[in-house]
Amino acid sequence: MTRIWEYVGSSETIQPLSQLEAGHLYAVLTYRGELASWNWAFFIPDPSVPPIGAFGTVFHVVHETEELKMVWKFTRERKEVLTSPLVVTMVRLADVSFMGQYQDLIVSEDLIGMFNQVKVPAGDPLEFSSRAWFLDAITILNECGVLTCDDVWNLEREIRRLGFTAMDKYLQNKGMYG
């Protein structure tokens, strides 16, 4: 599978991986219906469901209707990711096993607390997006020592490049990843 990558923060490089690994935090881009429009999220694979990455927990912000207005909310949910046709690319960001086992990680007040530090504006601001939330979360995770990211803008550019490459391959293969 060519959609899985590893980010090495200190050297600002991304290299291909053949599979997901337990105890790691991944960036996930999912297709939103337009060529360059993706939902940005974090993913921790559940090692109890083979293959690793088939299911796991996604941490992200969603845009939903509340009292007749659209609002952004942080959420975590168990999802099928590895085999989802909407997943464009995945990038391994960090080994988070030092924070505990899978069950500990997905309910950890430490990790959830870090994600909750990212400001989610009230209402429906046009300048806010899952990408903006993701990049702010990367900064907080870096400051807290969960991952190493020397340049969040370079990381964004590299993940976007991988997303475009994956979409190009998908379109060239007439709807099949290869």
Side-chain angles (χ1 to χ4, degrees):
M1 175 178 283
T2 59
R3 296 184 299 161
I4 306 171
W5 305 87
E6 176 183 27
Y7 173 68
V8 183
S10 58
S11 62
E12 303 299 339
T13 61
I14 293 184
Q15 49 199 350
L17 288 175
S18 60
Q19 63 188 26
L20 297 182
E21 294 182 35
H24 285 80
L25 180 67
Y26 293 85
V28 177
L29 293 186
T30 53
Y31 183 60
R32 284 190 354 185
E34 298 175 24
L35 184 59
S37 180
W38 305 298
N39 288 312
W40 293 63
F42 294 95
F43 175 71
I44 298 177
D46 181 346
S48 70
V49 180
I52 292 177
F55 278 88
T57 300
V58 174
F59 303 87
H60 60 136
V61 290
V62 293
H63 204 210
E64 56 187 44
T65 303
E66 183 179 278
E67 298 178 8
L68 301 176
K69 64 181 179 179
M70 295 301 286
V71 295
W72 287 97
K73 287 189 174 186
F74 167 72
T75 187
R76 68 177 173 221
E77 56 189 313
R78 184 168 164 78
K79 283 187 152 184
E80 180 180 6
V81 174
L82 189 60
T83 59
S84 170
L86 297 179
V87 171
V88 174
T89 196
M90 302 177 75
V91 177
R92 184 169 70 191
L93 298 171
D95 181 346
V96 291
S97 61
F98 70 93
M99 297 177 74
Q101 300 296 318
Y102 173 74
Q103 291 299 328
D104 302 322
L105 287 168
I106 64 170
V107 297
S108 166
E109 288 305 315
D110 294 333
L111 189 58
I112 300 299
M114 289 178 223
F115 288 137
N116 281 327
Q117 286 182 39
V118 179
K119 302 292 184 224
V120 178
D124 184 24
L126 294 174
E127 65 275 356
F128 190 75
S129 65
S130 64
R131 183 191 58 77
W133 178 86
F134 177 90
L135 295 174
D136 287 347
I138 289 286
T139 300
I140 289 171
L141 293 170
N142 181 61
E143 290 171 356
C144 293
V146 173
L147 56 78
T148 301
C149 181
D150 295 335
D151 185 343
V152 71
W153 304 113
N154 187 50
L155 175 60
E156 175 201 18
R157 185 175 55 251
E158 288 301 307
I159 293 174
R160 287 175 56 87
R161 183 184 61 77
L162 293 170
F164 283 119
T165 300
M167 290 300 297
D168 284 345
K169 282 186 180 181
Y170 179 80
L171 294 171
Q172 288 171 2
N173 293 331
K174 297 179 177 43
M176 299 296 292
Y177 284 102

